[in-house]
Amino acid sequence: MKYHFFATISITELVDYPDDDNDYYEEHFLIREIVSTLKIDFPIKQIYERYFDDSINTGDVLLFKSKKDSNNSILIDTFKDPYDQLDLVRFGVQITSNDIDKIRVLFRQLYDKSSILINYHEGQGILNEICTPARYPKQITINNYKYEQQLKIY
């Protein structure tokens, strides 16, 4: 059984700045726990930096699969909507192991501790549409601007 967790949160919720007077940051401790449990290489620091370096109206869906259990994965949709002032991303986890309850607690804590609560979903099939390679490239049109969003699998 594949079980999914999916939320819309600010990308800033995925990292932590331990010192307000310093630019140093690290992955949020809940992200670290999720990644460790799923045994997935999820380079949130590189994703975070690239997100802020990329221009608006760009951003792909990044899917990171576990090397140990190919059915476990982490997904992040980094598309930057020009009207978004909160730096929102869509973030999801797919899991098939016995760790569903542990991931539920960690994922829910990550969402509940977020400063902006947009949406949270969990269940079966929630990520199927966004993870289907045949749906890409996906055309995104905002005003006169068009972007072909890609699904990148790691």
Side-chain angles (χ1 to χ4, degrees):
M1 169 182 78
K2 294 179 183 176
Y3 201 79
H4 300 160
F5 300 92
F6 192 56
T8 302
I9 58 177
S10 175
I11 195 166
T12 59
E13 302 292 350
L14 303 179
V15 298
D16 184 38
Y17 286 85
D19 182 359
D20 289 340
D21 297 327
N22 192 328
D23 287 341
Y24 171 78
Y25 65 91
E26 54 195 25
E27 64 189 344
H28 193 283
F29 75 94
L30 291 168
I31 293 293
R32 190 172 23 248
E33 284 294 315
I34 290 169
V35 167
S36 174
T37 301
L38 296 176
K39 297 172 180 53
I40 295 177
D41 293 326
F42 182 65
I44 186 56
K45 291 175 88 174
Q46 290 91 335
I47 295 167
Y48 182 78
E49 289 174 12
R50 183 168 184 180
Y51 180 86
F52 287 108
D53 287 341
D54 287 348
S55 58
I56 60 167
N57 289 321
T58 63
D60 294 314
V61 175
L62 311 176
L63 180 64
F64 297 87
K65 294 189 171 203
S66 173
K67 306 284 188 248
K68 194 163 189 140
D69 182 349
S70 62
N71 288 317
N72 290 347
S73 59
I74 295 176
L75 171 134
I76 185 166
D77 182 348
T78 63
F79 182 76
K80 293 173 72 172
D81 186 299
Y83 301 108
D84 173 17
Q85 297 179 6
L86 304 173
D87 299 315
L88 297 175
V89 294
R90 297 187 307 160
F91 180 68
V93 169
Q94 175 178 285
I95 185 167
T96 58
S97 71
N98 294 331
D99 293 318
I100 291 173
D101 290 336
K102 181 177 182 181
I103 293 296
R104 174 182 287 119
V105 169
L106 295 170
F107 200 90
R108 189 66 209 206
Q109 283 180 346
L110 179 68
Y111 180 75
D112 289 342
K113 290 180 185 240
S114 297
S115 57
I116 300 158
L117 303 175
I118 305 283
N119 72 38
Y120 173 93
H121 300 282
E122 66 174 78
Q124 294 177 319
I126 293 170
L127 297 177
N128 289 354
E129 186 175 318
I130 197 170
C131 290
T132 303
R135 298 189 51 84
Y136 295 90
K138 178 181 170 186
Q139 297 294 324
I140 299 176
T141 304
I142 299 176
N143 296 330
N144 293 329
Y145 185 82
K146 294 182 181 182
Y147 180 71
E148 276 193 358
Q149 187 179 48
Q150 303 294 324
L151 173 65
K152 297 182 177 178
I153 301 172
Y154 301 93

